[in-house]
Amino acid sequence: MTDRTLDIAFWNYDRTRALSDGRIKIDGVTARFHTARIVTQIFEAMIRQRAYDVSELGLTYFLRTFADGPSPFLAIPIFPNRAFRHSAIYVSGASGIRHPQDLVDRTIGELALYGHDAGVMPKGILSDEFGFKPERNRWIVGGIDFPMDPIDFVPHPHPAGVEVTMAPKGTDLGVLLEAGEIDALISADVPRCVLSGSSKVRRLFPDHEAVERDYYRRTGIFPIMHTVVVTRELAEREPDLVRAVYKGFCEAKSAEVAGLTHAMTFNNMATMVPWLTDLLARDRELLGDDWWPYGIARNRAAIDAVLRYHHEQGLTERRFKIEDVFVPYLLDA
């Protein structure tokens, strides 16, 4: 049989590179791979134009496509982007904020969306563990120094009681933070003032790595930011092809894990990151030898957390279940 041609889009990650460079083939598929300058451009092309058969999509962007009924997409349990997010909360030195409880009744900036992927998780964690209530705050949504178009291709829901303002185009929330014009910032991207070591800003959790490692030990959650979706038509009509796509992504990630693990023998000399081998050893001790797991089984707690937080924060009208958003024949993956 002739292979099926599929357009597949994702950002340039190490865990997907074996697909795009041809080392890993997807059975039965002639793949045309696509990427973009920033990952939200991939999201926009998929949501606006159905530009791809298979695409990376931020979880909050994906869940917002259910706003008017069934989404045109279903997810497969591939998670190309995930990150611990205690480190995504920045505070102004002028704010006097020292502890999570000090965030109450403050003005907080947020990157791109009220409830962007790196905002949903920290707000949820703050709510679970420190009694944080987003409705008590004033929110300003905008960009930072990295150029990014406004996100106008998905709905922007928020509860009626939450004060959310869109910053004028060109506003740099990092500049506002450093100037003390906002008290805090939640952002997937690190603002320039933090990277440059400004004494006027700091992370809410200065020792964030230790806090995040403790969070994983207690909860088993390695937070998920993005998944991979397929068109609903493809999911329903060609399950064997979708299974092959899932398998291809898994094999590409496994190839990268194997390469990094093997390179530990040689102190990872091909990568100019000091102490990388020691970091990998610590990560494997905590997270396991497959420290970036795909599939439902090892990610159930992380997926459930996102779905719960998304509903609690007023971003979806109902709390979705895993079975609502993932292809049914990969639920046992």
Side-chain angles (χ1 to χ4, degrees), residues 27-325:
D27 293 341
V29 170
T30 298
R32 295 188 298 219
F33 294 109
H34 307 264
T35 191
R37 179 180 66 91
I38 58 175
V39 72
T40 49
Q41 293 173 337
I42 296 173
F43 302 168
E44 181 173 9
M46 186 59 164
I47 291 171
R48 279 198 196 278
Q49 305 161 19
R50 310 292 188 266
Y52 316 112
D53 303 289
V54 179
S55 178
E56 178 182 1
L57 209 57
L59 268 172
T60 189
Y61 294 83
F62 170 46
L63 293 173
R64 290 167 200 246
T65 66
F66 288 84
D68 297 320
S71 171
F73 315 115
L74 286 170
I76 61 176
I78 298 295
F79 309 109
N81 187 321
R82 60 196 310 162
F84 292 97
R85 289 303 193 189
H86 291 74
S87 51
I89 311 167
Y90 308 92
V91 297
S92 163
S95 69
I97 295 171
R98 291 290 179 268
H99 307 287
Q101 294 85 348
D102 299 334
L103 289 168
V104 174
D105 294 326
R106 301 298 188 131
T107 300
I108 303 177
E110 184 166 3
L111 178 69
L113 290 167
Y114 178 74
H116 76 308
D117 288 307
V120 172
M121 280 302 299
K123 287 179 198 173
I125 292 168
L126 289 171
S127 296
D128 280 353
E129 304 201 341
F130 301 100
F132 178 70
K133 296 185 183 300
E135 62 271 20
R136 294 281 301 274
N137 297 92
R138 299 168 297 280
W139 297 88
I140 299 178
V141 175
I144 59 171
D145 50 274
F146 189 83
M148 181 178 178
D149 293 332
I151 305 299
D152 60 359
F153 53 90
V154 291
H156 285 238
H158 62 81
V162 179
E163 182 182 338
V164 179
T165 303
M166 300 302 296
K169 186 175 180 179
T171 300
D172 184 334
L173 295 177
V175 170
L176 298 186
L177 182 72
E178 189 174 24
E181 296 180 35
I182 58 176
D183 299 303
L185 170 64
I186 299 178
S187 175
D189 300 330
V190 184
R192 182 183 291 122
C193 57
V194 174
L195 292 174
S196 65
S198 171
S199 61
K200 297 180 180 180
V201 297
R202 67 178 185 84
R203 283 187 164 94
L204 177 63
F205 297 96
D207 192 7
H208 60 85
E209 181 181 340
V211 173
E212 290 164 349
R213 287 179 180 274
D214 176 68
Y215 170 77
Y216 180 81
R217 289 187 190 96
R218 291 186 291 106
T219 67
I221 294 174
F222 184 172
I224 294 168
M225 303 295 114
H226 300 173
T227 189
V228 171
V229 303
V230 300
T231 63
R232 187 175 288 269
E233 179 181 19
L234 183 67
E236 292 175 348
R237 293 189 178 183
E238 302 191 60
D240 288 344
L241 202 63
V242 173
R243 288 189 184 95
V245 169
Y246 171 75
K247 180 172 177 284
F249 273 95
C250 289
E251 289 177 349
K253 188 260 296 184
S254 294
E256 184 64 21
V257 168
L260 285 168
T261 304
H262 177 69
M264 292 173 73
T265 302
F266 310 102
N267 205 31
N268 292 93
M269 69 177 73
T271 304
M272 55 180 186
V273 179
W275 302 293
L276 176 57
T277 298
D278 292 339
L279 174 60
L280 287 169
R282 294 203 312 274
D283 286 349
R284 293 174 76 198
E285 181 179 6
L286 177 64
L287 303 169
D289 289 346
D290 180 10
W291 61 85
W292 197 285
Y294 291 164
I296 298 293
R298 286 194 57 196
N299 291 289
R300 186 169 291 276
I303 300 167
D304 280 337
V306 174
L307 297 179
R308 175 167 66 88
Y309 293 157
H310 217 264
H311 177 57
E312 289 176 351
Q313 294 168 28
L315 303 175
T316 47
E317 291 186 358
R318 65 188 178 94
R319 178 177 171 179
F320 286 104
K321 298 180 294 185
I322 288 174
E323 293 78 8
D324 297 325
V325 297

Side-chain angles (χ1 to χ4, degrees), residues 8 10 15-26 31 33 245 247-253:
I8 302 176
F10 45 75
R15 48 265 186 205
T16 56
R17 202 164 296 146
L19 285 171
S20 54
D21 69 17
R23 283 177 289 151
I24 298 295
K25 305 290 186 184
I26 300 174
F33 294 109
V245 169
K247 180 172 177 284
F249 273 95
C250 289
E251 289 177 349
K253 188 260 296 184

